[in-house]
Amino acid sequence: MAARIIIHRDKTFQTMESFGVSGAWWAQSVGGWTERDENSPLSKRDRIAQLLFHRDEGIGISCYRYNLGSGSKNSGRGRYAMESRRAESFDVSDTRYDWSRDENAVYMMKKAAEYGTDEIVLFVNSPPERFTKNGLGYQSLAGQTNLPRKNYHKFIKYTLDAAEHFIKEGLPVKYISPVNEPVWFWTEKQEGCHYRPRQVKKLLEEFADEMEKRPSLKDVKLSGAENGDIRWFNKTYCRIMAGNKKIRRRAGAVDTHSYFTKLPVPIFGKAVNDRAAFLRRYRKFMDKHYPGVPLKTSEWTHMKKHRDWGMNSALVQARVMFEDLTILGVTSWQHWVALSDADYCDGLIYQFDDTRSYLLTKRYFAFGNFSKYIRRGSVRTQAHCDDPSLLVCAFKKDGETAVIIINPEEGEKTVSFPEEAGKAQMFVTSETDSLAKYDAEPNNIFIKGKSVNTLIFR
């Protein structure tokens, strides 16, 4: 018997802003792949940008997170897990910037905008090395911030100058995120900077003050504080972003990372490993204390060793997206790296630098089930399915309804909608399909096992 799905278009929730990816660690390499793509008239770098950001020829990702690096690649200093984890900086001296640096990554950012991305976030893992205590892109001692108070203004000036530079070049810079995962101790392997909550507050207050003085940044908002684990969302950081009047005036939302690594602590069991329960508590806290303040997922990846380009990882990603959208009610959902060069369950596309080649994963296509069809301004509506094993959510915009159906189980399913819903176009990602298009009748829709499906009703 078909599971019945009912969409209540008059019961609405958050309005979506974007789906995004970070350009960290891959764009500085892939942005130099100028040779022609074997399956396209474009160069390899342009084809990859098209696959990510073009709505018709790719999956229409609308948000690009540009890594405003510390300069570890320019200096060569420090211990990094991989050379690709280093990043360039435009900072040269108090009186000079070199905007020719980070050429490949800047090229990919510009290409994203050309292909349709209308939201760029400038995010910072570590301030420029010249401003840090130890002259490195990470701190020497755990628990200590690497940005001295006397250099706050220099860091702020540099970051805002970079934003103004890219805006003048016609790029849609909408957000600046100066602090990334401040709770962690960054002592080597990749760029990062630890901050205590009061340091985050002071730094963002000064960012807000300086942004108010620059008319060219009137439409640019602060993003943050990008805490690193959904369980430790930490009310302190929420109060910094949503409760501080000065910061709130410039902040678009409370941005958090949606990582959740299960802890092997049998004595606590589900108390520390129930992800959905943490999301519900987070949502309840925000509704009580800061109603109307948007939440965003600004980073997530699978956090699992070894490469996986199949449906198992794609379904983990799809479930996290579903939970963040329906329980936490985020208005933007952003994946960590778009491409990955590591032996890790990471990225939407795998890159192979030795052969300058790439491989699309099922994560790429499952991400497209959301990013390609849930556009800016789409409003989430209530969706009910009488089969609890299916994960169903719906969004409406301009007389069109997009319904996401995730079937995490091996077995096939059949679903139905009310007859008045009419015919639908269906886009399927499964072991055998990669956003494959089908026509669907509302009273008998076949859902493959281990699949992510998007139905478009007009």
Side-chain angles (χ1 to χ4, degrees):
M1 183 176 178
R4 189 76 163 164
I5 296 177
I6 304 293
I7 307 299
H8 301 280
R9 286 176 56 88
D10 57 340
K11 177 64 173 176
T12 59
F13 304 95
Q14 78 269 28
T15 299
M16 290 304 299
E17 190 170 320
S18 61
F19 288 89
V21 290
S22 163
W25 302 348
W26 62 270
Q28 63 263 38
S29 170
V30 172
W33 292 7
T34 57
E35 61 271 37
R36 180 174 172 175
D37 189 86
E38 293 84 351
N39 301 309
S40 166
L42 302 175
S43 65
K44 289 182 178 179
R45 65 181 182 178
D46 287 3
R47 177 56 178 156
I48 289 170
Q50 186 184 61
L51 285 167
L52 290 168
F53 306 109
H54 197 285
R55 190 176 180 190
D56 296 324
E57 302 298 328
I59 58 174
I61 293 172
S62 55
C63 169
Y64 185 87
R65 292 173 58 83
Y66 175 77
N67 180 22
L68 202 58
S70 78
S72 58
K73 188 172 182 179
N74 304 112
S75 70
R77 293 192 294 265
R79 303 180 302 274
Y80 288 82
M82 301 170 67
E83 284 301 301
S84 60
R85 301 301 181 257
R86 297 179 180 272
E88 296 191 45
S89 171
F90 305 110
D91 174 72
V92 177
S93 70
D94 286 344
T95 59
R96 189 166 74 88
Y97 299 130
D98 184 351
W99 298 115
S100 69
R101 289 180 175 179
D102 211 19
E103 178 183 6
N104 292 344
V106 170
Y107 179 88
M108 295 305 290
M109 174 170 58
K110 290 181 176 179
K111 210 66 186 176
E114 180 184 325
Y115 281 137
T117 292
D118 58 2
E119 176 185 309
I120 288 174
V121 181
L122 302 183
F123 80 98
V124 179
N125 285 327
S126 165
E129 287 182 331
R130 199 166 62 86
F131 306 149
T132 62
K133 288 180 179 178
N134 60 4
L136 298 173
Y138 54 79
Q139 62 247 28
S140 300
L141 298 174
Q144 293 187 0
T145 185
N146 204 23
L147 179 65
R149 178 69 185 84
K150 66 180 181 179
N151 286 341
Y152 278 21
H153 181 72
K154 290 182 178 181
F155 172 42
I156 292 166
K157 181 181 183 301
Y158 165 71
T159 305
L160 299 188
D161 286 351
E164 288 185 327
H165 168 78
F166 288 126
I167 289 171
K168 287 178 182 177
E169 293 207 334
L171 291 170
V173 177
K174 302 298 183 184
Y175 295 95
I176 295 171
S177 178
V179 174
N180 192 275
E181 297 190 342
V183 72
W184 302 142
F185 298 154
W186 301 101
T187 53
E188 60 179 1
K189 296 186 178 180
Q190 67 186 65
E191 294 184 353
C193 190
H194 170 74
Y195 299 90
R196 297 183 182 93
R198 59 182 172 81
Q199 294 167 330
V200 174
K201 175 178 175 291
K202 185 62 177 176
L203 181 62
L204 294 187
E205 282 181 335
E206 294 195 23
F207 259 98
D209 282 339
E210 186 62 29
M211 290 171 75
E212 292 289 337
K213 299 174 186 176
R214 301 193 183 205
S216 63
L217 300 181
K218 64 182 177 63
D219 296 324
V220 178
K221 296 181 178 180
L222 278 173
S223 174
E226 304 215 38
N227 207 13
D229 189 314
I230 203 69
R231 288 167 299 185
W232 325 129
F233 71 89
N234 197 323
K235 296 174 183 178
T236 302
Y237 288 109
C238 292
R239 292 188 179 104
I240 289 170
M241 300 304 300
N244 181 290
K245 291 182 179 180
K246 185 179 290 189
I247 296 171
R248 175 67 189 131
R249 192 164 58 244
R250 294 300 312 205
V254 174
D255 295 62
T256 187
H257 294 177
S258 203
Y259 295 115
F260 186 92
T261 303
K262 292 186 176 181
L263 299 177
V265 188
I267 190 171
F268 295 116
K270 199 172 184 180
V272 295
N273 289 324
D274 188 341
R275 185 178 189 278
F278 280 94
L279 295 178
R280 284 190 287 270
R281 287 198 286 274
Y282 195 164
R283 182 72 263 171
K284 184 178 179 180
F285 170 82
M286 292 299 294
D287 288 342
K288 179 179 179 181
H289 297 282
Y290 307 109
V293 175
L295 287 168
K296 294 182 180 180
T297 294
S298 54
E299 189 177 311
W300 180 87
T301 197
H302 197 156
M303 297 290 282
K304 180 183 175 184
K305 292 182 179 179
H306 306 306
R307 290 185 167 184
D308 181 340
W309 41 80
M311 281 305 299
N312 288 338
S313 177
L315 288 168
V316 171
Q317 172 188 276
R319 178 181 285 275
V320 170
M321 295 177 76
F322 169 82
E323 290 178 345
D324 287 359
L325 289 166
T326 61
I327 301 175
L328 200 52
V330 299
T331 60
S332 180
W333 201 95
Q334 300 158 20
H335 201 278
W336 174 220
V337 291
L339 277 74
S340 173
D341 62 346
D343 184 21
Y344 206 64
C345 193
D346 196 9
L348 304 178
I349 301 173
Y350 284 124
Q351 69 186 84
F352 303 88
D353 288 322
D354 54 345
T355 58
R356 290 197 169 195
S357 58
Y358 60 92
L359 175 68
L360 304 182
T361 70
K362 289 294 182 179
R363 287 190 299 279
Y364 164 84
F365 294 105
F367 193 85
N369 277 98
F370 293 83
S371 62
K372 192 176 174 75
Y373 306 106
I374 304 171
R375 307 305 298 169
R376 184 181 300 277
S378 296
V379 179
R380 186 168 70 87
T381 66
Q382 190 174 71
H384 172 75
C385 178
D386 57 20
D387 183 344
S389 69
L390 294 175
L391 309 179
V392 181
C393 58
F395 300 81
K396 67 176 183 178
K397 183 183 181 183
D398 299 333
E400 186 174 280
T401 301
V403 182
I404 307 289
I405 305 174
I406 303 168
N407 181 8
E409 299 185 348
E410 295 278 356
E412 301 165 349
K413 303 277 186 176
T414 304
V415 301
S416 68
F417 290 80
E419 196 66 36
E420 59 267 23
K423 293 183 179 180
Q425 289 184 332
M426 184 174 180
F427 302 89
V428 181
T429 299
S430 66
E431 293 287 3
T432 56
D433 291 307
S434 299
L435 285 176
K437 181 180 175 181
Y438 298 94
D439 292 324
E441 296 289 342
N443 59 351
N444 189 34
I445 299 175
F446 176 69
I447 305 295
K448 292 186 176 182
K450 298 180 72 173
S451 66
V452 183
N453 310 267
T454 305
L455 288 95
I456 305 296
F457 293 94
R458 294 185 173 89

